[in-house]
Amino acid sequence: MVPELEEGLPFGRIKDFSLEELLGMAIKAEVGAREFYISLARRVEAQSLREKLEWLAGEESKHEELLRKIYENMFPGKEVLFPKEYIGPELKPVARELTKVEDIVDLIRWAMEAEEIAAKFYAELEKMVEGKDKKRLMRYLSDMELGHYYTLKAEYELLLDWSMYSQMMHVGP
Amino acid sequence: MVPELEEGLPFGRIKDFSLEELLGMAIKAEVGAREFYISLARRVEAQSLREKLEWLAGEESKHEELLRKIYENMFPGKEVLFPKEYIGPELKPVARELTKVEDIVDLIRWAMEAEEIAAKFYAELEKMVEGKDKKRLMRYLSDMELGHYYTLKAEYELLLDWSMYSQMMHVGP
């Protein structure tokens, strides 16, 4: 386990929370993921990977905005409720120096796990929300997170062979 | 079927081509996909979708560059061989006015299909190439295309309800 990741509740515990609480958790998770990707991008020298991380950060930011709109639509005028708990791994900003490529590889692997759980999380919310519109939006978020998962998986597989990665992806001077 | 898509050979025909020919097909397909996404982006008003399409175009461009390096590494000094045939659907630039959202929805659905076949295509090349390095690169490309597939799928599902899409994704004046 890395310090940027806190293991939350097992996925099955999703049933213990209200839709309002789960939306709050989702917003918190999108904020956490954005901060994680931004902080990681700052510590990564490989341009290709840095650009992907910045792109992911931007996407999570749009998801946060979308979720806040959905929340406002479902609970008009109410402040967002952020439960203390969260489901699955929670990403936190990277505050340490990353000295070895293995450090980056580890973080990417955890981010993959977080994205995979996020996709499952939204698929579960799709079942819980009422109305075609909201179901569609949850499906959208679920698919997007799955897209992130595969984008990260692609980088992860290449990073496992750093000498090749650096040669193929224009890394270094 | 839309005019921007030509149905190529069935996937099973991949066995009839040499690795050199398949790499040539892959390069051609990446170029075609980039041109398709760029031309589609120009004809789409919704900013969120346009940005995604531009991002996809940029990614396909990087894939082309990577494939050319792999080709040069495997067949040094040889000009790339572009077979007449291709496997699966081939995307072509969008040269017509798109007047209805259904036109865009159709094109996105075909692009999803092309990305899905591309992911399978690279997974097949992963089996064919020799050496860990090249296998990793094919796995990378396969995962990236799968990432594109889910990114497009997300947009597709939302586009099916245009009034909601335009409301949620800041479309229009």
Side-chain angles (χ1 to χ4, degrees):
Chain A
M1 187 72 72
V2 294
E4 293 78 10
L5 195 115
E6 250 179 64
E7 194 70 63
L9 299 172
F11 194 75
R13 291 288 303 279
I14 200 169
K15 308 273 177 213
D16 299 347
F17 296 89
S18 68
L19 189 53
E20 191 178 354
E21 288 170 318
L22 292 172
L23 282 175
M25 272 184 208
I27 293 171
K28 211 170 69 167
E30 296 290 355
V31 173
R34 183 189 63 224
E35 288 175 359
F36 170 82
Y37 288 127
I38 288 176
S39 62
L40 182 54
R42 277 199 202 114
R43 285 162 197 280
V44 160
E45 280 179 36
Q47 192 195 334
S48 148
L49 181 58
R50 196 170 61 232
E51 283 173 3
K52 283 230 164 53
L53 294 168
E54 285 163 356
W55 177 75
L56 286 166
E59 291 299 301
E60 307 301 20
S61 186
K62 288 181 214 157
H63 295 181
E64 182 203 344
E65 197 187 331
L66 188 59
L67 283 164
R68 285 187 183 274
K69 277 195 200 173
I70 297 170
Y71 198 100
E72 172 61 25
N73 180 286
M74 291 177 74
F75 310 101
K78 276 194 82 174
E79 266 205 47
V80 181
L81 193 79
F82 293 116
K84 207 168 70 300
E85 304 91 341
Y86 42 86
I87 305 285
E90 194 192 30
L91 298 170
K92 293 172 178 305
V94 182
R96 61 187 162 125
E97 206 69 51
L98 303 174
T99 49
K100 306 186 300 289
V101 64
E102 287 78 14
D103 292 338
I104 300 169
V105 169
D106 268 356
L107 288 170
I108 300 281
R109 199 178 54 233
W110 284 112
M112 280 164 65
E113 180 151 334
E115 293 287 359
E116 207 177 10
I117 296 277
K120 274 177 71 184
F121 188 89
Y122 289 123
E124 204 56 40
L125 288 189
E126 184 189 359
K127 292 182 210 158
M128 290 175 73
V129 294
E130 276 173 36
K132 245 180 165 178
D133 282 20
K134 292 193 188 71
K135 282 186 189 295
R136 261 193 221 289
L137 288 164
M138 292 304 157
R139 168 65 28 200
Y140 170 83
L141 289 167
S142 178
D143 284 334
M144 283 298 292
E145 305 298 12
L146 216 49
H148 295 179
Y149 169 79
Y150 282 107
T151 298
L152 288 168
K153 183 166 179 283
E155 296 295 320
Y156 174 76
E157 310 257 0
L158 269 203
L159 282 167
L160 291 176
D161 184 345
W162 179 249
S163 66
M164 199 252 301
Y165 189 97
S166 42
Q167 185 198 331
M168 284 304 200
M169 307 308 247
H170 302 297
V171 177
Chain B
M1 187 72 70
V2 293
E4 293 78 9
L5 195 114
E6 250 179 63
E7 193 70 63
L9 299 172
F11 194 74
R13 292 288 302 280
I14 200 169
K15 308 273 179 214
D16 300 347
F17 296 89
S18 68
L19 189 53
E20 192 178 354
E21 287 171 319
L22 292 172
L23 281 175
M25 272 184 209
I27 293 170
K28 210 170 71 168
E30 296 290 354
V31 173
R34 183 189 64 224
E35 288 175 358
F36 169 81
Y37 288 127
I38 288 177
S39 61
L40 182 54
R42 280 201 201 111
R43 284 160 198 281
V44 160
E45 280 179 36
Q47 192 194 335
S48 148
L49 181 58
R50 197 171 59 232
E51 283 173 4
K52 283 231 164 52
L53 294 168
E54 285 163 356
W55 177 75
L56 286 166
E59 292 299 301
E60 308 300 21
S61 187
K62 289 181 212 158
H63 294 181
E64 182 203 345
E65 196 187 332
L66 188 59
L67 283 164
R68 285 187 183 275
K69 277 195 199 175
I70 297 170
Y71 197 99
E72 171 61 25
N73 179 288
M74 291 177 76
F75 309 101
K78 276 193 83 174
E79 267 206 46
V80 181
L81 193 78
F82 293 116
K84 208 169 67 301
E85 304 91 340
Y86 42 86
I87 305 285
E90 193 192 31
L91 298 170
K92 293 172 178 306
V94 183
R96 60 186 163 128
E97 207 68 51
L98 303 175
T99 48
K100 307 185 300 289
V101 64
E102 288 78 14
D103 292 338
I104 300 170
V105 169
D106 267 357
L107 288 170
I108 300 281
R109 199 178 57 233
W110 285 112
M112 279 164 64
E113 180 151 337
E115 294 287 359
E116 207 177 10
I117 295 277
K120 274 179 70 184
F121 188 89
Y122 289 122
E124 204 56 40
L125 288 189
E126 184 190 357
K127 292 183 209 156
M128 290 175 74
V129 293
E130 275 172 38
K132 246 181 165 176
D133 282 20
K134 293 194 188 72
K135 282 185 188 297
R136 261 194 221 292
L137 289 164
M138 293 304 156
R139 168 67 26 203
Y140 170 83
L141 289 166
S142 179
D143 283 334
M144 283 298 292
E145 305 298 13
L146 216 50
H148 296 179
Y149 169 79
Y150 282 107
T151 298
L152 288 168
K153 183 167 180 282
E155 296 295 319
Y156 174 77
E157 310 258 0
L158 268 202
L159 283 168
L160 291 176
D161 184 344
W162 179 248
S163 67
M164 198 251 303
Y165 189 96
S166 43
Q167 185 197 333
M168 284 305 199
M169 308 307 247
H170 302 296
V171 177

